[in-house]
Amino acid sequence: SSNESLEEGLTKRQAEIAELLKQGKKTSEIADILNIKPSTVSSLKFTIFKKLNVSNLVELIQLKEIA
């Protein structure tokens, strides 16, 4: 898929969350959209940041735009 380079190394669910974060969605909103617990979103977010080697949302968004 065309998103492959952006979401390299992420699971489908992590990639979904990364995309929603990029759109400016809050943890609670993402939880509602994906029908999962906010705590699950938080832990997945941590994993995404670690995998993509970013430390915050701003870096994640910049990384996505460069890719």
Side-chain angles (χ1 to χ4, degrees):
S1 72
S2 60
N3 267 357
E4 216 160 356
S5 62
L6 296 181
E7 320 297 2
E8 211 173 337
L10 298 183
T11 64
K12 191 166 182 273
R13 179 46 55 97
Q14 287 166 353
E16 266 177 324
I17 290 173
E19 193 54 46
L20 291 166
L21 286 167
K22 200 177 83 170
Q23 291 166 18
K25 298 274 190 283
K26 295 181 179 70
T27 299
S28 56
E29 291 175 310
I30 294 171
D32 287 343
I33 292 164
L34 299 178
N35 199 26
I36 56 179
K37 292 180 187 153
S39 59
T40 306
V41 176
S42 294
S43 63
L44 284 166
K45 190 161 107 176
F46 178 75
T47 307
I48 291 163
F49 283 15
K50 219 170 143 180
K51 277 188 171 181
L52 297 178
N53 201 27
V54 295
S55 51
N56 58 51
L57 192 52
V58 175
E59 287 182 19
L60 175 73
I61 292 164
Q62 289 172 339
L63 182 75
K64 298 284 180 181
E65 286 169 355
I66 292 161

